[in-house]
């Protein structure tokens, strides 16, 4: 029997889905991710496989996991996993293989539509009995005809491109890895052109040493004043103060954000005072359907390791 442990910050339903799709020959222990390091160490002492959501684990825990062979993330991001420690200890680490890409792509587009159509203000005005105020009809916009700039066109960015094409848009993208697994109609451009030409800049890169702080005041200054930013990736791709300043001063028109430098967002965060942002609580990757895909992918990858094959979608 191969033992797997799931450190879960999710609902019991997620653990149930993982248990239901578990192949024969495995046993699964579920443990809250909020538990202490000592408790985590005790739980993974005998485990060969570790499944994580959220993807957050450090050296102190890993170095005590003597039998651990593979860490399977249910997330796309891997920025809070100590990859160097895992590598040194001979453990592989794999992401969710794009299994939540449908959910994230849909939420990126939902955030954009919400901003352009001012849906939050519309809902508030109906409930408050002010009818259309402050939505005037000249401060709502169409996606049609706009240039969509994608930073990253992997599993998620590619799906955003495919879907937004149907909105009669022009797609441009910048991707260092030219990882165009999804077939879509778009033009590869330099980072500078991406910033200068995009009406909508949507971020779909993992947080790595290369992408951290990629956009500061200098980059934001290159953008059109009518441009909006959609971020369902990681907040740290932006310099926090520079983004807040660009939004506050209307240097750019708005942002739809699912990710923040501090989560949960603090009650005094400057973003909360702005009316040109739509904010969601890091839920873009979540959907009922995606949990089943993630669970199936996780077990298939774990079975590959048992069979002596390399796992797919390694974090790099
Ligand atoms: O943030 C969510 C993920 O990385 O999947």
């Amino acid at each position: 029997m191969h033992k797997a442990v799931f450190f879960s910050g999710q609902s019991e339903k997620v653990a149930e889905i993982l248990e239901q799709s578990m192949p024969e020959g495995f046993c699964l222990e579920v443990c809250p991710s909020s538990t202490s390091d000592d408790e985590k160490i005790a739980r993974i002492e005998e485990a060969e496989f570790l499944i994580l959501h959220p993807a957050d684990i450090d050296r102190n825990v890993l170095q005590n996991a003597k039998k651990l062979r593979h860490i399977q993330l249910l997330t796309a991001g891997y920025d809070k996993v100590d990859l160097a420690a895992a590598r040194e200890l001979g453990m592989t680490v794999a992401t969710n293989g794009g299994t939540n890409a449908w959910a994230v792509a849909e939420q990126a587009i939902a955030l954009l539509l919400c901003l352009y159509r001012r849906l939050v203000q519309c809902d508030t005005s109906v409930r408050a009995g002010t009818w259309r105020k402050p939505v005037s009809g000249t401060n709502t916009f169409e996606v049609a005809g706009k240039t969509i700039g994608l930073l990253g066109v992997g599993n998620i960015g590619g799906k955003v491109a495919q879907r937004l094409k149907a909105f009669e848009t022009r797609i441009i993208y910048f991707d260092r890895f030219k990882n165009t697994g999804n077939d879509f109609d778009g033009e590869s451009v330099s980072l500078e052109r991406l910033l200068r030409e995009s009406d909508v800049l949507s971020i779909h890169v993992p947080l790595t040493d290369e992408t951290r702080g990629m956009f500061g005041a200098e980059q934001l200054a290159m953008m059109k004043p009518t441009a909006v930013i959609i971020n369902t990736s990681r907040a740290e791709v932006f310099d926090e103060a520079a983004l807040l300043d660009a939004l506050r001063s209307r240097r750019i028109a708005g942002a739809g954000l699912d990710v923040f430098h501090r989560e949960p967002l603090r009650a005094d965060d400057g973003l909360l005072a702005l009316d040109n942002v739509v904010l969601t609580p890091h839920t873009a990757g979540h959907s009922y359907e995606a949990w089943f895909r993630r669970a199936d992918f996780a077990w298939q990858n774990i079975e590959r390791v048992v069979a002596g094959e390399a796992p797919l979608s390694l974090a790099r």
Side-chain angles (χ1 to χ4, degrees):
M1 195 63 87
H2 300 284
K3 178 174 170 184
V5 172
F6 176 32
F7 287 153
S8 172
Q10 304 305 318
S11 69
E12 275 174 31
K13 180 73 192 163
V14 170
E16 263 171 49
I17 293 171
L18 205 55
E19 271 157 4
Q20 279 158 13
S21 50
M22 181 170 66
E24 278 180 23
F26 289 87
C27 62
L28 179 71
E29 221 176 89
V30 182
C31 164
S33 57
S34 55
T35 198
S36 67
D37 274 11
D38 286 348
E39 176 68 18
K40 283 183 181 163
I41 290 166
R43 296 296 198 107
I44 60 173
E45 214 169 13
E46 294 299 315
E48 285 175 74
F49 301 100
L50 178 60
I51 302 174
L52 294 177
H53 199 301
D56 193 345
I57 197 92
D58 61 26
R59 182 180 289 270
N60 176 39
V61 176
L62 291 181
Q63 66 196 6
N64 285 288
K66 299 288 180 236
K67 298 191 178 162
L68 199 63
R69 301 163 70 180
H70 175 69
I71 303 169
Q72 180 60 51
L73 312 180
L74 300 185
T75 59
Y78 49 88
D79 43 285
K80 293 209 175 85
V81 176
D82 192 332
L83 288 186
R87 211 169 287 133
E88 276 167 36
L89 295 161
M91 302 161 185
T92 46
V93 181
T95 73
N96 70 12
T99 46
N100 66 350
W102 288 260
V104 182
E106 288 186 15
Q107 182 128 341
I109 294 167
L111 285 169
L112 172 58
L113 291 173
C114 212
L115 269 179
Y116 265 21
R117 306 300 311 158
R118 297 194 190 267
L119 297 184
V120 175
Q121 289 92 332
C122 281
D123 181 85
T124 306
S125 71
V126 173
R127 290 172 197 275
T130 60
W131 199 231
R132 290 181 181 165
K133 286 192 185 88
V135 180
S136 71
T138 51
N139 62 6
T140 54
F141 303 93
E142 296 169 3
V143 177
K146 301 296 189 295
T147 295
I148 311 293
L150 300 171
L151 178 70
V153 283
N155 290 314
I156 299 169
K159 286 207 179 339
V160 173
Q162 286 172 334
R163 282 150 183 74
L164 280 182
K165 198 69 203 171
F167 280 75
E168 303 173 36
T169 60
R170 167 180 174 245
I171 308 284
I172 58 175
Y173 66 91
F174 177 80
D175 192 329
R176 286 186 206 274
F177 299 111
K178 300 276 180 294
N179 179 14
T180 49
N182 286 294
D183 196 23
F184 64 87
D185 180 12
E187 185 190 352
S188 169
V189 296
S190 66
L191 190 56
E192 183 169 343
R193 271 190 65 196
L194 189 84
L195 289 162
R196 291 197 189 282
E197 293 179 27
S198 295
D199 296 304
V200 177
L201 176 65
S202 194
I203 311 301
H204 302 290
V205 285
L207 180 64
T208 62
D209 290 345
E210 247 185 309
T211 59
R212 187 181 297 276
M214 215 173 149
F215 296 131
E218 189 190 332
Q219 288 72 26
L220 290 164
M222 290 181 198
M223 295 184 70
K224 299 178 184 180
T226 50
V228 297
I229 287 170
I230 305 295
N231 194 358
T232 51
S233 158
R234 287 295 181 268
E236 294 87 345
V237 171
F238 288 86
D239 176 89
E240 185 179 15
L243 180 61
L244 183 62
D245 186 52
L247 287 164
R248 198 181 264 151
S249 64
R250 308 272 164 170
R251 176 62 204 80
I252 58 169
L257 305 174
D258 185 54
V259 286
F260 306 94
H261 284 79
R262 280 164 306 281
E263 296 180 4
L265 203 56
R266 285 204 308 240
D268 64 350
D269 195 291
L271 287 168
L272 293 171
L274 303 182
D275 66 357
N276 55 346
V277 297
V278 177
L279 313 172
T280 53
H282 204 146
T283 48
H286 295 214
S287 69
Y288 180 71
E289 296 85 348
W291 290 115
F292 290 89
R293 274 190 236 108
R294 295 185 217 239
D296 285 344
F297 181 82
W299 288 120
Q300 281 164 21
N301 236 5
I302 287 172
E303 285 191 299
R304 287 177 69 91
V305 177
V306 171
E309 293 164 36
L312 302 175
S313 206
L314 285 170
R316 53 191 159 118

